Amino acid sequence: MDIVIRAAVAFLVILLLTRIVGRRELNTLEPFDLILLVTIGDLVQQGVTQNDFSVTGMMLVGSTVALLTVAISYTNFRFPRLRPILEGEPVILIEDGNVIERNLKRHRLTQQEVAAEARYQQIDSFEKVRWAVLETSGKISFITKS
């Protein structure tokens, strides 16, 4: 039972860390970020299993993480009021060509980063943008003016 509790605590800590880090940072992984994720995975594994290399231990940890993932997904679906906490909410970055600086600062984005994303979508000026929305996935959606 100890291994299940450690796996559940590790899962919740990782969930909390991903919410703190922010969606924009998780959307763009650099090579260093990938190395960091692998290292964190190894450190978490050591803390969860405490040198338990048995098949039973592996199945308990895997099952616990899978069940918690399904539980979070179900909670997200079943209780809409918890959705902003578990998944986040889309944030408007540009409205009718005007950049909302407060929202950029809150999500640690610069106008240059948003402009680069706009150029990827063939938009050369904020004046052409009706809405730019930072989605919960970390991607920026642009809706242009007609």
Side-chain angles (χ1 to χ4, degrees):
M1 186 65 175
D2 186 40
I3 198 166
V4 171
I5 293 170
R6 287 195 309 265
V9 169
F11 179 87
L12 294 174
V13 167
I14 291 171
L15 178 67
L16 179 67
L17 286 176
T18 57
R19 295 294 296 139
I20 290 171
V21 167
R23 58 188 119 168
R24 186 73 183 140
E25 284 80 6
L26 292 175
N27 186 38
T28 57
L29 287 178
E30 299 293 327
F32 175 75
D33 298 328
L34 183 60
I35 293 168
L36 187 62
L37 285 174
V38 170
T39 304
I40 288 172
D42 186 49
L43 293 172
V44 168
Q45 175 270 330
Q46 291 174 17
V48 169
T49 61
Q50 288 186 346
N51 294 327
D52 180 358
F53 299 111
S54 68
V55 173
T56 306
M58 181 239 357
M59 289 175 55
L60 284 171
V61 170
S63 299
T64 301
V65 170
L67 285 172
L68 287 171
T69 301
V70 170
I72 293 292
S73 177
Y74 180 75
T75 302
N76 193 22
F77 167 74
R78 182 76 171 90
F79 302 103
R81 288 184 174 208
L82 292 177
R83 200 169 294 147
I85 296 167
L86 298 174
E87 191 175 282
E89 292 180 311
V91 176
I92 298 171
L93 302 176
I94 299 175
E95 183 175 4
D96 289 324
N98 299 314
V99 176
I100 302 172
E101 286 291 334
R102 183 183 78 240
N103 290 347
L104 289 180
K105 287 180 183 176
R106 190 172 69 186
H107 291 279
R108 298 178 302 277
L109 288 168
T110 65
Q111 285 192 27
Q112 293 78 15
E113 290 172 316
V114 177
E117 289 291 326
R119 288 190 299 272
Y120 285 133
Q121 297 185 30
Q122 308 301 313
I123 301 169
D124 62 350
S125 169
F126 288 158
E127 301 298 321
K128 296 180 180 178
V129 176
R130 176 171 290 163
W131 302 99
V133 180
L134 178 61
E135 303 292 350
T136 57
S137 66
K139 297 195 184 307
I140 300 175
S141 300
F142 292 90
I143 300 168
T144 57
K145 297 176 182 176
S146 298

